[in-house]
Amino acid sequence: MHFNLKLKEMNKLLIVGTVAFDAIETPFGKTDKILGGAGTYIGLSASHFNLQSAIVSVVGDDFPQEYLDLLTSRNIDISGLEVVKGGKTFFWSGKYHNDLNSRDTLATELNVLADFQPKVPQNFKNADVVMLGNLHPMVQSSVLDQMEAKPKLVVLDTMNFWMDCALEDLLNVIKRVDVITINDEEARQLSGEYSLVKAAAKIHTMGPKYVVIKKGEHGALIFHNKEVFFAPALPLEEVFDPTGAGDTFAGGFAGFITQSENVSFENMKTAIIHGSNLASFCVEKFGTERMLKLNKEEVVARLKQFKSLTQFDIAL
Ligand code: AMP
């Protein structure tokens, strides 16, 4: 008997974001330069879904092959990850306060990121979802310019650093995206509003139809028109290092949307639960350590915890 089965290609997620060296200090310890970067965390998080992903980014030739191998071992296509000969990899260093909810940036060295011209791999120019992770807004724009088919969804994440040094470019790219994910302090800075409800309303007028505001250990909100939905963060006994939690959240959000091919607001509610779930693992160890050891059973078990945390019956 002959079967003429044509297997459906997995959906594609194109990721842009820093691939970096991080040096982190928390009340529990300190690291030297370890693997970090927004693109790295997004990629590792999204690899928990059934999809094809590629990272567009840049590193110097000081970046260990071992780290590149880690990414490819997670089925992340790195043909758009440029290695600059003689260049130095982007470096970020941060120190967390005792409550772990806030941090000071001690150093941001752009290095090879300063003159980076991104090149989207040909087979990802038709990606279903584009996740514009944190890096220069001109790089984020350039990636959108290279798309040959309109993505079903474009998600953007950014941070205060780019609001301080490239606001105009940032506003230009924000106009072009469907979803923005941003933390509470950054939402306030971008909008000039203290109330997060007013901040979200103002950010809507800048372009994105969906505004996700991340509030660290206090969960995340998604706003769409007049509607709002909340995903808690899982109360954890121990938080070790929050670095990358925001990017892991964004990777989980974008990864789930890519896998499910559904860009409705209802589905985005589920997507922020997946984002919170994956981020809850990220903070349990330094840097990418926990994400690199995470397995499917652990992910599913914790999703069940999320469900029981938030479900209740009430007589109305
Ligand atoms: P998060 O804790 O989610 O804000 O992300 C921390 C990660 O973002 C670290 O791994 C850094 O390498 C990266 N990062 C820090 N500052 C920047 C920046 N200005 N642009 C892009 N990535 C950055």
Side-chain angles (χ1 to χ4, degrees):
M1 213 192 309
H2 289 281
F3 288 104
N4 196 5
L5 274 183
K6 202 168 169 218
L7 287 178
K8 187 184 173 303
E9 266 214 336
M10 282 187 291
N11 294 329
K12 291 180 188 172
L13 172 65
L14 177 65
I15 300 163
V16 192
T18 43
V19 172
F21 286 133
D22 287 350
I24 305 162
E25 198 174 331
T26 81
F28 310 109
K30 220 174 148 168
T31 67
D32 278 333
K33 286 185 172 182
I34 56 170
L35 171 64
T40 305
Y41 283 104
I42 294 168
L44 292 179
S45 180
S47 72
H48 287 275
F49 298 91
N50 195 22
L51 47 76
Q52 299 178 68
S53 68
I55 293 188
V56 172
S57 194
V58 64
V59 290
D61 59 8
D62 55 350
F63 197 72
Q65 182 63 38
E66 173 202 340
Y67 287 169
L68 296 174
D69 293 344
L70 274 180
L71 298 174
T72 43
S73 74
R74 299 300 188 281
N75 279 330
I76 303 168
D77 180 328
I78 57 164
S79 56
L81 175 55
E82 190 186 332
V83 181
V84 177
K85 273 223 167 85
K88 274 179 79 182
T89 299
F90 173 78
F91 171 68
W92 175 79
S93 154
K95 181 176 176 177
Y96 287 86
H97 302 156
N98 281 342
D99 66 359
L100 288 174
N101 259 336
S102 52
R103 70 182 177 206
D104 294 325
T105 289
L106 304 178
T108 302
E109 293 172 14
L110 296 179
N111 299 329
V112 288
L113 191 67
D115 327 290
F116 177 44
Q117 309 276 336
K119 276 176 217 74
V120 177
Q122 186 57 39
N123 58 335
F124 275 83
K125 289 187 176 170
N126 63 352
D128 301 276
V129 175
V130 178
M131 176 70 236
L132 300 175
N134 193 10
L135 42 54
H136 198 297
M138 294 253 272
V139 173
Q140 295 177 317
S141 274
S142 161
V143 164
L144 289 185
D145 293 340
Q146 292 173 53
M147 298 308 288
E148 286 176 356
K150 191 175 164 14
K152 295 189 184 80
L153 198 76
V154 179
V155 186
L156 175 140
D157 189 77
T158 188
M159 73 187 278
N160 50 0
F161 181 84
W162 303 111
M163 293 175 203
D164 296 336
C165 73
L167 183 62
E168 205 181 313
D169 296 327
L170 181 61
L171 292 173
N172 282 333
V173 66
I174 285 177
K175 267 187 215 150
R176 304 174 65 188
V177 310
D178 304 295
V179 185
I180 183 169
T181 67
I182 191 168
N183 79 25
D184 42 5
E185 280 318 305
E186 291 153 0
R188 291 183 173 120
Q189 178 172 347
L190 184 64
S191 64
E193 295 285 353
Y194 188 80
S195 145
L196 293 180
V197 176
K198 286 188 182 164
K202 195 126 171 218
I203 297 169
H204 273 316
T205 67
M206 298 175 185
K209 291 189 285 297
Y210 304 92
V211 177
V212 178
I213 300 186
K214 301 172 285 184
K215 288 153 53 77
E217 68 169 327
H218 304 297
L221 296 159
I222 180 164
F223 294 87
H224 174 55
N225 296 331
K226 295 268 172 243
E227 274 188 88
V228 57
F229 177 77
F230 173 67
L234 200 70
L236 294 169
E237 219 163 283
E238 267 177 321
V239 173
F240 213 68
D241 168 21
T243 307
D247 306 309
T248 302
F249 172 93
F253 177 88
F256 177 71
I257 299 275
T258 309
Q259 172 188 279
S260 59
E261 290 183 89
N262 177 342
V263 297
S264 69
F265 184 52
E266 279 314 299
N267 199 48
M268 286 186 194
K269 294 179 182 175
T270 313
I272 68 168
I273 301 284
H274 280 283
S276 294
N277 190 45
L278 287 159
S280 78
F281 291 102
C282 176
V283 302
E284 288 183 334
K285 291 258 158 71
F286 262 117
T288 54
E289 202 181 328
R290 184 69 178 98
M291 293 311 286
L292 289 171
K293 298 224 170 81
L294 185 58
N295 67 44
K296 200 170 178 172
E297 288 69 37
E298 291 171 313
V299 173
V300 173
R302 208 167 265 189
L303 276 173
K304 288 184 182 150
Q305 275 181 271
F306 261 92
K307 208 167 171 186
S308 58
L309 177 70
T310 49
Q311 260 181 355
F312 56 87
D313 280 325
I314 189 164
L316 290 171

